[in-house]
Amino acid sequence: MKRLLASGKTVEDAIRSGLAQWGVKEDRVNIKVLEQASKGLFGLIGVRDAKVELELLPDGVEEAISFLSEVSAAMELTVSVERVDENDAVRINITGSDLGILIGRRGQTLDSLQYLVNIVANRHSNHHLRIVLDAEQFRERRRQTLEVLSERMAQRAIRTRKEIMLEPMTSQERKIIHARLQSNPNVKTFSQGDEPNRRIVIAPK
C-alpha cells in the first residue's frame, strides 16, 4: 500500500498538503494523525507542525489500466489508453497500431480481455465496477455491421418465409440484433443453443 507523510500548521493543512502531492480527493485515502500541532512555549519556542500519514486506497479502474499496459507490453504492442466515465460504466478506449491481435476474430480476444479487466478492477474496488473495453472503435463498427446484417437477414426471412439462423454470437451482440429487429412487424427473433455456440434465429411472423 502506498503511504505518504505530510505536515502542516494544522492537521487539516497537513491533509491538504498530502492530497495535493498525490492529486487525489480525501475519499481515496486513509488518514492517520501522527502528531497534533503544538504552539510551544509562549507560542514561539518549540512550535511543532501537525503530522499525518496518508495511505492511498487502490482505484479499480487505475489497476485495470495498469493491467492492460502490462498485457500490451507483453504482446509487444505500443498503445494509448483513454478512460471515459459514463453513467453506468467506465469505457476504456485503446488506440495504437496493429491492434488486430488484441481484438481477435469477431472481437473474441477483446471480449476475453474485457472479462479479465473487470475481474482486476473489482478486486481493487469497494463497489461494483463495469468496464467496457474497446480498441480503435471496434465495438461501434461491429454494432453497425450487426445492424446491417440483421436487416438483410430479416428481409431474406420475409422473402423466403423460412427461419434464418445466424452465426454464434456473444450475449452483447445478440442484444444488438434483438434490439434492431424488435420493432419490425414482419419478423421475430429468439436465441437457441448453449454458450459459446448460442445463436439468434430470425423467423417470419
Side-chain angles (χ1 to χ4, degrees):
M1 195 74 73
K2 195 174 178 182
R3 290 180 170 83
L4 171 71
L5 296 177
S7 60
K9 296 295 184 184
T10 65
V11 169
E12 290 74 19
D13 287 342
I15 293 171
R16 278 195 292 269
S17 173
L19 294 176
Q21 289 182 59
W22 271 338
V24 298
K25 295 181 179 180
E26 195 167 333
D27 60 0
R28 283 292 316 281
V29 299
N30 283 330
I31 301 167
K32 181 180 180 181
V33 178
L34 301 177
E35 196 171 320
Q36 293 282 351
S38 172
K39 293 182 179 180
L41 188 62
F42 307 122
L44 298 172
I45 303 171
V47 174
R48 292 200 308 267
D49 284 347
K51 294 180 181 178
V52 298
E53 180 185 75
L54 304 185
E55 181 182 69
L56 186 64
L57 300 174
D59 177 89
V61 179
E62 289 180 7
E63 293 293 335
I65 291 173
S66 177
F67 170 75
L68 274 176
S69 298
E70 292 175 7
V71 171
S72 300
M75 298 172 74
E76 299 184 345
L77 296 173
T78 301
V79 301
S80 296
V81 177
E82 176 193 21
R83 169 181 176 170
V84 180
D85 291 293
E86 300 178 340
N87 289 334
D88 60 344
V90 176
R91 181 174 294 273
I92 298 179
N93 297 315
I94 305 172
T95 55
S97 57
D98 302 321
L99 293 186
I101 187 173
L102 192 147
I103 295 171
R105 182 170 179 264
R106 294 203 309 269
Q108 289 176 339
T109 304
L110 189 65
D111 286 340
S112 297
L113 193 54
Q114 176 176 280
Y115 174 75
L116 294 174
V117 160
N118 275 277
I119 290 177
V120 171
N122 283 287
R123 185 180 295 161
H124 293 91
S125 176
N126 56 10
H127 64 279
H128 180 70
L129 292 170
R130 188 172 78 87
I131 293 180
V132 177
L133 187 63
D134 202 358
E136 296 289 4
Q137 297 183 316
F138 167 79
R139 297 204 183 279
E140 176 60 23
R141 289 185 282 113
R142 179 68 173 161
R143 183 186 66 79
Q144 293 175 358
T145 298
L146 290 173
E147 288 183 345
V148 170
L149 173 69
S150 65
E151 293 289 355
R152 191 169 72 246
M153 293 300 100
Q155 290 305 313
R156 179 185 294 181
I158 294 168
R159 186 174 67 253
T160 63
R161 304 303 300 169
K162 293 181 180 179
E163 294 183 352
I164 305 293
M165 181 178 291
L166 304 183
E167 63 186 11
M169 295 180 186
T170 64
S171 61
Q172 191 59 42
E173 290 180 333
R174 294 197 302 272
K175 286 179 184 177
I176 293 172
I177 302 287
H178 288 308
R180 183 67 177 187
L181 295 181
Q182 68 180 357
S183 61
N184 189 319
N186 299 311
V187 297
K188 61 182 178 180
T189 62
F190 58 91
S191 297
Q192 68 178 34
D194 299 320
E195 301 289 2
N197 296 310
R198 195 161 173 77
R199 303 164 180 259
I200 278 191
V201 176
I202 301 174
K205 286 185 177 178

